[in-house]
Every structure is written in C-alpha cells, then in structure tokens.
C-alpha cells in the first residue's frame, strides 16, 4: 500500500481529495491535513510515500512546504492556477492536478504515482552490483539521489543545469557542469554536441546528422564531435 497524505486548506477540496484517494485500491490515506504545518508534523512521525498538496495555503504554502523537506516523498501538486505548473515541476513534483479535476484525472495521476513508487522501491531493494562504479550520487533540489549510470539514456545541458534522461523514470535536473559529469561517465558514453552526452548502448538509429534515441528523441551531432562519433560508428559497422 502507498501511504498518502491529503493536504488542502479548503474543507470541500480536502474532502473531495480524500474521497478520491480512498477509491484507489493501492492507496492508504494516512491523514487529511488542513495545512502544511500539520502535514509536516505527521511526516516527522510516520513514513509517507506520497503527498497530494495544494499550493495556495496560508502560513506555509505547498511549494515552500515541499522545498523545506529534507527527503520529499512523491509529490503531486493540486491547484486552481495553471501558472504554477513550471515551478511545481522545478520543485520536484511528479505530477500536477489542475482544479477542478475529476476521478478519471485522479486515477491517471494515481497510476503515475504507483509506477514511480514501484520504481523507487525496486531500486532501493535491488542487490548491489559487483561494479559499484556504476553508481553516482547527485544532488537535486534538497535531496541526494543514487543513480545507475547504465540507466542513463542521455544528458541534456541547460545553462548551469543538466537534465539527465532515463528509459523508465522521469528526468533528473541537477546543478552540475557537462564537463564534470563527462569525466565520471564510462567509455560507452560520448559527447555528440555541446549540449548532449549520449549512452552509446541506447542508440536506436543514426540518420544523417542526428542520433535517434527513441521515437520522440532526435539529437543533433555537432561539428566538433562528428569525427569522433563517426569513428565509433565505423568501428561497429558491418556491411559493404
């Protein structure tokens, strides 16, 4: 069971949110909290797997509440204001429900929470690999997370930040330089552009000056990196 908190200062909204949580068979509603301060007290004494939290609340708003947590659980923001979506994802939210939302919307969100919960627990319970060098610890927002380098699909540079993309989990945004990460990655990673490092083992296709990682991801090959990349492809090429 995924242990959940419902947090909203509006009584009717809190009642509706709690009712939706109770309809999900793999959710357990631990408490209905009318404010973030009460939720924080509960989380200090109980393990909570996911929180559904309104953003606009008095005393301590939902965004600041999540940022104040040393190790946030899975976070879903609920609010009537769509302009908060970007900030919500920057704060590490898995999803964002725009009020008023119905049960079908909530069920779709619940499935995402379930997948993320199963993924995190699979990683935590997995037996350590004999090659511990496959692991990296990276700081994102207010927590430090462990990732396996072999799970990385590609890395995208965004000014002072990096967006690390994986196959089956949401991207991770970290404050780090491309150069520093590149120095730590093993040989099956290659920089193909000023803004991209790819896992060579996850290439699906090379089409002219683009590397296709999946159906929706086409990455450009920069002029400075084309020779090194072509040499790699030629070393693996079979054909006339």
């Amino acid at each position: 069971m995924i242990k959940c908190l419902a947090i909203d200062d509006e009584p009717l909204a809190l009642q509706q949110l709690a009712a939706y949580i109770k309809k999900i068979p793999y959710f357990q509603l631990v408490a209905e909290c009318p404010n973030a301060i009460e939720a924080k007290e509960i989380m200090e004494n109980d393990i909570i797997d996911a929180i559904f939290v309104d953003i606009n609340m008095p005393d301590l708003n939902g965004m600041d509440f999540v940022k104040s947590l040393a190790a946030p659980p899975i976070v879903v923001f609920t609010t009537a204001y769509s302009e908060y979506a970007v900030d919500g994802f920057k704060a590490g939210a898995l999803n964002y429900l725009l009020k008023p939302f119905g049960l079908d919307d909530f069920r779709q969100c619940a499935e995402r929470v379930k997948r993320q919960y199963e993924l995190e627990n699979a990683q935590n319970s997995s037996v350590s690999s004999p090659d511990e060098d496959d692991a990296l610890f990276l700081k994102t927002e207010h927590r430090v997370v462990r990732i396996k380098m072999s799970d990385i699909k590609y890395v995208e540079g965004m000014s002072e930040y990096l967006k690390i993309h994986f196959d089956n989990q949401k991207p991770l945004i970290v404050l780090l330089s491309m150069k520093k990460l590149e120095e730590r990655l093993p040989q099956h990673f290659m920089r193909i552009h000023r803004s991209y490092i790819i896992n060579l083992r996850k290439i699906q296709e090379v089409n002219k000056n683009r590397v296709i990682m999946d159906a929706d991801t086409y990455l450009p090959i920069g002029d400075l990196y084309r020779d090194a990349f072509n040499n790699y492809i030629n070393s693996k090429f079979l054909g006339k």
Side-chain angles (χ1 to χ4, degrees), residues 217-230:
T217 307
Y218 293 67
L219 304 180
I221 304 170
D223 292 339
L224 294 176
Y225 307 92
R226 185 172 291 111
D227 287 344
F229 181 74
N230 286 340

Side-chain angles (χ1 to χ4, degrees), residues 1-4 26-29 49-50 74 110 113-114 117:
M1 298 290 283
I2 302 173
K3 300 173 72 174
C4 303
Y26 44 83
F27 278 177
Q28 176 189 344
L29 179 63
D49 302 309
I74 298 169
V113 171
K114 181 172 180 277
Y117 173 81

Side-chain angles (χ1 to χ4, degrees), residues 1 61 90 92 97-98 134 164 170 174 189 202 237-238:
M1 298 290 283
N61 69 51
K90 285 183 179 179
L97 286 169
L98 186 63
D134 189 45
I164 303 176
K170 66 175 184 176
V174 298
F189 284 84
K202 297 184 183 291
F237 184 76
L238 291 179

